[in-house]
Amino acid sequence: MPQDDHTRPPPAAIYFDGTSSRRHRVTLSFGERLLIQNLEGETLASWAFGDLRRADAPSGILRLSNVAAAPLARLEIRDPGLAAQLTARCTGLDASASARHSTARIVGWSVAAAASVILIAVFGLPLIAERLAPLMPRSFEQRLGVVVEQQVKTLFGDRVCDDPAGQAALAKLVEAVRSAGGLDDHVAPVVLSSGIPNALALPGGKVLLFSALLAAANDPDEIAAVIAHEFGHVAHRDNIKVLIHNGGTSFLIGLLFGDLSGSGALVFASQTLITSSYSRDAERDADTFSIEVMQKLGRSPKGLGELLFRITGKQGGSGLDIVSSHPLTEDRRDRMRSLDGEPSGPPLLTGAEWQALRAICKRS
């Protein structure tokens, strides 16, 4: 007489065939393959042990799938002893988990790599630039400055202003600023004929003043303050730091192999030097240098802020002017104004010399 449900042994496992939601109470037989049979002895599935994979399941349940069966086919085993016998026969039980872990590792390393690139760009390159710039030989920097100057002249024109009287006045002004700043005589400002009010410090110590900047100045003190500010960038080698930072790894490779003339990275970095801003710290330090120089000369340090602010108003913030590479903020201007006072030193130029300096490009 057949046994009823109350006298039958509890099922060894629960089987889902993957084609319906029906639960099959089954028993398992181990041979060359795993034989899955219902309680009436009917074979529902025969699974190769090598095709079995562990699936996610609550604690205490071994849930298996079969790579050769229907995607949703599952076998659930709650008997720990039976689960141990089965797992001992399955060589690839955790292959899917390993693949998931491998994928997770790949994703993790990709995220880490992306984060590393960001960290290098934000923190690494500025640190490299800060450490590498002071170690660069002066001769190397001067050769680099020649290439950068060629790029500047390509963009702004190469008409150098050389009126003798204007040159003499410029030399007198530069000597006063250079001496007060404690710089050696490698610094050498040059005036270019250009309608753009600009000033640039190049690697190697050369400073380019554009004639429109002279036209915008009210007195020699304003030009002296601008020159002192640019000399501050030279003293701190800020231009080299900008080139290393903005040129990136390709520029560093060019530096490593001494590629100074044919490097596309160098051309890019040279153009970037013209259009990019110095860091806020670099601008503040250059302002401090200018203020200290003007105070040593016994002249007001506010000229730099007044000239830049005047240019900003006239230019409306458009175009490549000095403000694009030296952003003027209200606190910077207020700082210079707060240090204003009665001049204690002699004028830096006579009236005639000042007029000669402003007319330095009349022969160009």
Side-chain angles (χ1 to χ4, degrees):
M1 182 175 180
Q3 295 177 315
D4 59 24
D5 289 344
H6 296 286
T7 59
R8 289 173 179 168
I14 300 296
Y15 171 67
F16 299 88
D17 60 15
T19 60
S20 69
S21 59
R22 182 181 176 185
R23 294 162 54 95
H24 300 273
R25 295 186 299 174
V26 296
T27 59
L28 305 179
S29 299
F30 302 122
E32 293 184 359
R33 298 169 66 89
L34 175 64
L35 195 64
I36 303 173
Q37 296 176 310
N38 61 19
L39 299 185
E40 285 73 31
E42 179 184 359
T43 299
L44 302 181
S46 176
W47 286 1
F49 292 108
D51 292 339
L52 301 186
R53 299 292 183 266
R54 191 190 306 271
D56 292 335
S59 176
I61 298 178
L62 174 63
R63 180 177 292 160
L64 302 177
S65 64
N66 187 334
V67 295
L72 297 180
R74 292 292 185 271
L75 179 65
E76 293 183 356
I77 302 171
R78 300 174 183 270
D79 184 334
L82 185 60
Q85 294 181 54
L86 182 55
T87 55
R89 291 173 168 80
C90 300
T91 58
L93 196 63
D94 294 311
S96 296
S98 299
R100 289 195 299 272
H101 292 158
S102 298
T103 302
R105 285 196 297 269
I106 293 173
V107 172
W109 281 112
S110 299
V111 172
S116 299
V117 171
I118 295 173
L119 289 174
I120 289 173
V122 175
F123 300 105
L125 282 176
L127 181 60
I128 291 172
E130 192 72 29
R131 299 294 177 84
L132 184 60
L135 301 178
M136 188 173 294
R138 183 69 65 183
S139 58
F140 183 90
E141 188 177 343
Q142 290 173 339
R143 291 164 59 197
L144 185 59
V146 171
V147 180
V148 179
E149 183 179 1
Q150 292 172 351
Q151 294 297 317
V152 172
K153 290 181 176 179
T154 298
L155 292 175
F156 295 99
D158 58 357
R159 293 178 295 165
V160 177
C161 301
D162 57 0
D163 177 75
Q167 288 277 46
L170 177 63
K172 179 180 178 180
L173 191 64
V174 168
E175 176 59 25
V177 174
R178 186 195 64 77
S179 179
L183 299 176
D184 57 39
D185 57 5
H186 77 276
V187 291
V190 172
V191 177
L192 293 182
S193 179
S194 173
I196 300 174
N198 206 353
L200 294 173
L202 306 184
K206 182 172 287 188
V207 173
L208 300 181
L209 298 175
F210 291 13
S211 57
L213 189 66
L214 295 174
N218 286 337
D219 54 56
D221 287 0
E222 293 184 347
I223 294 299
V226 170
I227 293 175
H229 181 92
E230 296 301 327
F231 281 0
H233 287 308
V234 171
H236 304 145
R237 303 184 117 171
D238 292 330
N239 38 42
I240 290 295
K241 297 172 186 176
V242 168
L243 287 175
I244 294 173
H245 180 267
N246 291 335
T249 54
S250 57
F251 180 65
L252 290 176
I253 292 173
L255 292 180
L256 178 63
F257 290 98
D259 183 3
L260 292 177
S261 57
S263 172
L266 179 58
V267 173
F268 167 77
S270 302
Q271 294 174 340
T272 303
L273 174 61
I274 301 168
T275 58
S276 294
S277 299
Y278 288 116
S279 70
R280 181 171 298 179
D281 289 342
E283 286 295 344
R284 184 181 62 251
D285 291 344
D287 285 347
T288 299
F289 190 91
S290 178
I291 290 170
E292 292 175 351
V293 165
M294 297 305 292
Q295 288 177 333
K296 289 179 181 179
L297 293 171
R299 310 302 297 179
S300 173
K302 73 173 185 176
L304 173 65
E306 298 301 327
L307 178 56
L308 296 187
F309 190 81
R310 193 178 312 121
I311 291 173
T312 304
K314 289 182 178 180
Q315 297 297 318
S318 62
L320 278 174
D321 55 42
I322 190 173
V323 184
S324 67
S325 56
H326 303 274
L328 181 67
T329 57
E330 291 296 330
D331 58 330
R332 289 178 61 197
R333 186 190 182 200
D334 292 343
R335 177 191 180 196
M336 299 170 198
R337 281 183 167 181
S338 69
L339 299 172
D340 186 27
E342 289 296 325
S344 60
L348 300 178
L349 295 177
T350 66
E353 289 170 336
W354 171 236
Q355 294 305 318
L357 178 56
R358 299 190 74 191
I360 192 173
C361 293
K362 68 180 183 180
R363 299 202 319 170
S364 298

